[in-house]
Amino acid sequence: AAIGRAMTTWDGVSCSDLQLTRAADFGLDIGVIAFLNGLGGSPFVFADLQHAGWRDINFAGGILGVTFTFIFVNGGVPTDIDGNGLTDVAFREIYYDPSPWTWADDGVANIDVETVALHEAGHGLSQAHFGTVRLKNDGSLMASPRAVMNALYAGPFRSLAGTDNGGHCGNWAQWPNN
């Protein structure tokens, strides 16, 4: 449900009409990256943006989630069929680290699923990290300006900030004509 709410948040940005819809997974363990690395998953692609789950991959270094981008190639060379100067994306796949984190969907304690899903889905929709992360005098980290697309988890943050909306609109406002 938290992942669904995160996707609905991005779908609700008024400058674009991507018409995000949920595709069936037919009960399969999806995940091309996991499949390619012998960690489960499957070779099937069900959507342009797939949330592949928690079971398959443990990431190091405090990483909560990762979005992998697959591109189209022709003869080993990335394509740019529409001539916009950007590599053509085939699909993206999101994984969440199952350990050592305690995941929750209460918007308060532990690692908030919706917050991380909102951030990773932002990557899935072509957004990069935004803002500056710095060390405060008390040893904690702070992101400025605060946004979903900060490269820092600082607690639940379930609403898009102005910079998040701006990045999304910069990428998708002209869809499908861009």
Side-chain angles (χ1 to χ4, degrees):
I3 291 171
R5 289 191 306 272
M7 296 305 293
T8 298
T9 297
W10 283 113
D11 196 34
V13 178
S14 62
C15 68
S16 69
D17 188 17
L18 294 178
Q19 299 177 358
L20 301 175
T21 56
R22 185 175 183 166
D25 63 14
F26 304 102
L28 295 175
D29 177 13
I30 66 171
V32 175
I33 290 288
F35 178 79
L36 292 174
N37 288 285
L39 301 170
S42 73
F44 304 108
V45 177
F46 294 95
D48 295 330
L49 175 58
Q50 300 189 145
H51 292 267
W54 279 265
R55 295 187 307 239
D56 302 314
I57 303 172
N58 292 314
F59 300 104
I63 295 172
L64 298 170
V66 173
T67 302
F68 293 92
T69 300
F70 292 79
I71 62 170
F72 289 108
V73 295
N74 184 2
V77 177
T79 64
D80 179 15
I81 293 170
D82 59 2
N84 67 355
L86 302 172
T87 302
D88 298 322
V89 172
F91 70 100
R92 290 192 168 107
E93 190 166 83
I94 298 170
Y95 288 87
Y96 304 90
D97 192 337
S99 61
W101 314 109
T102 302
W103 294 87
D105 185 20
D106 59 10
V108 179
N110 303 309
I111 303 297
D112 184 58
V113 175
E114 186 172 344
T115 299
V116 177
L118 190 61
H119 175 90
E120 292 305 325
H123 288 313
L125 294 168
S126 303
Q127 291 223 36
H129 287 140
F130 182 84
T132 302
V133 177
R134 68 177 181 85
L135 186 63
K136 295 177 10 181
N137 290 337
D138 65 3
S140 64
L141 295 172
M142 181 181 117
S144 179
R146 185 78 165 99
V148 165
M149 294 312 300
N150 291 143
L152 164 72
Y153 180 84
F157 197 81
R158 295 179 167 192
S159 299
L160 300 177
T163 54
D164 301 310
N165 281 303
H168 184 77
C169 293
N171 289 333
W172 297 106
Q174 302 302 312
W175 178 260
N177 298 315
N178 60 346

